[in-house]
Amino acid sequence: MNAVTTANATQNAKKEIRENGFSVIEGIYDDSEIQQLLSAIENVDTSGETFRKSANLFAIRQFLKEIPETLPLIFTDKLKHIIKEICGESCFVVKSIFFDKPGESNWFVAYHQDLTISVAKRIETENFGPWTVKQGQFAVQPPLDILEDIFTIRIHLDEANENNGALKVIEKSHSKGIYRPETIDWQKEKEITCNVPKGGIMLMKPLLLHSSGRTTNNARRRVIHIEFSNKKLPGNLQWSEKTVIPC
């Protein structure tokens, strides 16, 4: 994808995210770039508490902190252009996770919104709550304006389709505030499967209702999930993974 094509795709994505809550852009990483990323991931020590291993899922929380050598591999000129256009000059990373869903996985995730942020420590703050802790990481639900500001990029290191757990989303649900899955009106809402080719990215708003199904074709699905914001948290609250995007 050349510079002109990337610019056009980014403008289309910006409009789709605003209207529908998500967009897919193909061809951001080539096979060589993906292999470099996978090599860096495969060589890491997985004994720490930020690593989760099971038959159905392998995950690395605080991914960019755990494997900082992936930063220049992820933040290519193409991706930095997309981030700048969609989030602005001042945005930074606030969360990063690597997911590996093996081919034999039966992992299923029901419809939900991403309603929490990761913070460095628990500090009781007005309008922030409830709190949770996962693998030593504090998470809290912030006020709606902070959630509305965040956007997510999912980098696909394998093809994702309806047969190996590609995300399903409820179009436009990101604009409806806190939307409880049990209240979904299937007579009115539109479900879309977000197929993403290897090397492509999916951009989405965390308030978009989304789910993923079980793998039925024994195809692996590896994804790097990165969230961005440009908001400073109130008081002494600090983003736990705040990372400046490399120049």
Side-chain angles (χ1 to χ4, degrees):
M1 182 182 288
N2 60 37
V4 173
T5 305
T6 301
N8 291 338
T10 302
Q11 288 306 309
N12 290 337
K14 192 172 183 178
K15 181 175 184 290
E16 290 174 349
I17 294 165
R18 182 175 62 253
E19 295 179 356
N20 299 324
F22 70 99
S23 185
V24 172
I25 305 178
E26 302 181 8
I28 300 302
Y29 299 91
D30 62 28
D31 287 347
S32 174
E33 291 169 324
I34 291 172
Q35 189 52 54
Q36 289 181 70
L37 279 166
L38 290 174
S39 295
I41 294 167
E42 289 164 0
N43 289 329
V44 73
D45 178 6
T46 61
S47 60
E49 66 176 1
T50 58
F51 295 84
R52 174 179 178 179
K53 291 179 284 186
S54 72
N56 285 319
L57 181 71
F58 171 61
I60 306 173
R61 294 184 178 276
Q62 300 186 34
F63 174 75
L64 294 177
K65 280 188 174 181
E66 291 289 349
I67 317 179
E69 56 267 37
T70 61
L71 279 164
L73 303 175
I74 290 171
F75 291 100
T76 62
D77 289 342
K78 286 180 183 178
L79 192 72
K80 286 190 288 187
H81 171 78
I82 291 167
I83 294 168
K84 175 183 174 182
E85 290 297 315
I86 291 176
C87 191
E89 295 272 7
S90 61
C91 77
F92 45 83
V93 174
V94 296
K95 183 185 289 186
S96 58
I97 310 172
F98 170 74
F99 296 104
D100 180 355
K101 190 174 181 181
E104 65 276 10
S105 171
N106 284 317
W107 187 265
F108 168 80
V109 181
Y111 267 106
H112 66 285
Q113 296 172 302
D114 293 336
L115 295 177
T116 64
I117 60 172
S118 297
V119 296
K121 61 175 67 174
R122 179 167 180 161
I123 300 173
E124 297 299 334
T125 305
E126 186 177 4
N127 298 320
F128 281 73
W131 288 81
T132 58
V133 181
K134 288 184 180 179
Q135 296 169 281
Q137 172 65 71
F138 290 101
V140 64
Q141 183 170 327
L144 191 62
D145 67 301
I146 292 177
L147 291 172
E148 289 174 337
D149 176 72
I150 295 170
F151 89 96
T152 299
I153 292 180
R154 294 169 57 88
I155 300 167
H156 284 254
L157 307 180
D158 300 291
E159 179 184 2
N161 57 47
E162 62 275 10
N163 298 314
N164 71 330
L167 284 191
K168 294 181 180 181
V169 304
I170 304 298
E171 188 179 63
K172 303 182 187 301
S173 56
H174 69 298
S175 62
K176 299 181 180 181
I178 306 301
Y179 192 161
R180 300 300 177 190
E182 61 271 19
T183 68
I184 296 173
D185 184 346
W186 291 108
Q187 300 300 313
K188 297 180 179 178
E189 301 292 17
K190 182 179 180 182
E191 179 184 73
I192 295 175
T193 300
C194 300
N195 294 337
V196 185
K198 177 181 177 181
I201 62 174
M202 178 178 174
L203 304 101
M204 61 180 285
K205 301 297 289 183
L207 289 174
L208 186 74
L209 277 164
H210 56 285
S211 70
S212 64
R214 296 177 174 85
T215 299
T216 60
N217 64 355
N218 294 321
R220 195 173 189 179
R221 181 168 64 95
R222 290 165 290 187
V223 175
I224 299 171
H225 170 115
I226 306 176
E227 297 178 14
F228 301 84
S229 179
N230 55 23
K231 281 191 177 292
K232 183 181 185 299
L233 297 177
N236 293 319
L237 277 179
Q238 298 291 331
W239 298 101
S240 68
E241 296 180 58
K242 184 175 180 179
T243 304
V244 177
I245 297 168
C247 297

